[in-house]
Amino acid sequence: GYGVAQSKELASHLLTVSPPIERIYSSPFYRCIQTITPTVTALASSLSPPTSPSTTKVRGENGIGEWYGMARFDHPSPAEPAVLKNLFPHYDEGYKPAIKPSVNGETIDELHDRTAYALHRIIEQSDREGVKAILLCTHAATLIAIGRALTGRMPEDIAEEDFRPFTCGLSTFVRRGKENMETAVKEWEGPETDIPRVEWKDGKGVAGGWNITVSGDCTFLRGGERVEVFWG
C-alpha cells in the first residue's frame, strides 16, 4: 500500500543522514514498528561489520507510545515483547522500557511529562553507549510533545501545531550540549505511580536542550505531506 511505499522511501533517505543512525527507538504499537522496519532492513544491508548489533534492533519504548487522552475506557496497550519479536525478528525483546503510560488515560500535561522522562532516559542511555545519532518512531501527538520537551518550548495554546506530524516525515533535533543535563531524576516506580519530574520547560529542554533543524521534512516522499489518523 501507499504507507508501505512511503516507509521504504523514508528508509532510503535515512541511509543518507549524517551522523549515521546508531540506535532505533520506536513506540511499540504495531504500526510504528511496521513503518520503521524497512529502515532496519536497509541499515542491516548497508552497514559493513564490525558494527553494534544494537544498530539494527528496534527498542520498543512505551514512553514514546500513543496518547489516547482522558477518554473513559481501558486504553489500548501494545502487544507484549515476545509477540512483537515473533512478528518482527529485529525487535529487541530484552530492552526494558523507561516508562509506560497509564491505561486509565493521560492529561496533555501527563503526556508531556512521560515523554520528557522517556527522552531523558533514552538520551542518558545513548550517552553511556557513546551514540551520536538516534532515531525515534512515534505518533502525531507524541511527536509534538517530544518536540516541546527537547526544545523546552511550551506554547501558550496547547493545541498549537508547533511541530509537523506528517506520516513518514522526518524532524531533526541537534543537541545544544550536555552541560545542563539533569543527573538526579528519580526512577519511575511502575504503573499508576507518579511520573518522575524532568525540568524541561522555559527553554531548558531535556538533557541539555535541543534545537530543531528540520521540521516534518517530506521532500524525499514522492507523495509529499500526508497526515493520517488511526482509531484503535
Side-chain angles (χ1 to χ4, degrees):
Y2 186 66
V4 173
Q6 279 197 319
S7 66
K8 290 178 179 176
E9 289 170 344
L10 173 63
S12 297
H13 180 66
L14 288 172
L15 288 182
T16 70
V17 300
S18 180
I21 292 161
E22 295 176 272
R23 296 291 184 274
I24 299 171
Y25 293 82
S26 175
S27 160
F29 283 90
Y30 182 93
R31 183 76 187 204
C32 275
I33 304 169
Q34 185 184 40
T35 296
I36 213 63
T37 291
T39 297
V40 178
T41 304
L43 281 172
S45 61
S46 71
L47 292 170
S48 53
T51 186
S52 168
S54 297
T55 300
T56 51
K57 285 188 173 181
V58 173
R59 292 173 171 174
E61 178 49 69
N62 301 60
I64 59 169
E66 184 63 283
W67 179 63
Y68 290 100
M70 290 297 291
R72 292 178 179 276
F73 60 89
D74 272 353
H75 292 209
S77 293
E80 289 301 312
V83 175
L84 292 168
K85 173 76 173 174
N86 193 42
L87 293 167
F88 302 100
H90 49 277
Y91 192 82
D92 188 349
E93 193 179 355
Y95 175 77
K96 189 171 182 292
I99 188 169
K100 294 185 177 182
S102 169
V103 295
N104 298 317
E106 298 171 290
T107 64
I108 288 181
D109 284 339
E110 286 168 339
L111 163 68
H112 287 76
D113 288 345
R114 64 100 161 161
T115 301
Y117 177 76
L119 289 168
H120 177 86
R121 292 296 178 221
I122 288 170
I123 296 163
E124 191 178 55
Q125 183 173 34
S126 299
D127 286 345
R128 281 198 305 268
E129 295 178 352
V131 169
K132 287 191 169 60
I134 61 177
L135 178 65
L136 307 178
C137 185
T138 187
H139 312 266
T142 315
L143 170 67
I144 292 171
I146 285 171
R148 291 169 178 173
L150 288 175
T151 60
R153 180 189 179 274
M154 188 70 176
E156 286 184 23
D157 178 5
I158 200 88
E160 181 184 319
E161 273 208 0
D162 36 355
F163 297 93
R164 294 148 50 92
F166 297 118
T167 306
C168 287
L170 181 65
S171 294
T172 305
F173 297 86
V174 176
R175 199 175 192 174
R176 295 175 204 146
K178 300 181 186 180
E179 296 78 20
N180 299 318
M181 181 162 180
E182 283 184 82
T183 54
V185 176
K186 291 182 180 178
E187 290 287 330
W188 181 65
E189 295 177 355
E192 310 314 319
T193 64
D194 291 343
I195 301 167
R197 189 170 182 80
V198 176
E199 299 292 346
W200 60 270
K201 293 181 181 176
D202 301 319
K204 187 172 182 183
V206 171
W210 300 69
N211 296 324
I212 184 164
T213 57
V214 178
S215 181
D217 180 26
C218 293
T219 56
F220 52 87
L221 301 174
R222 276 174 293 183
E225 298 173 355
R226 184 180 181 198
V227 176
E228 292 187 5
V229 177
F230 298 98
W231 298 98

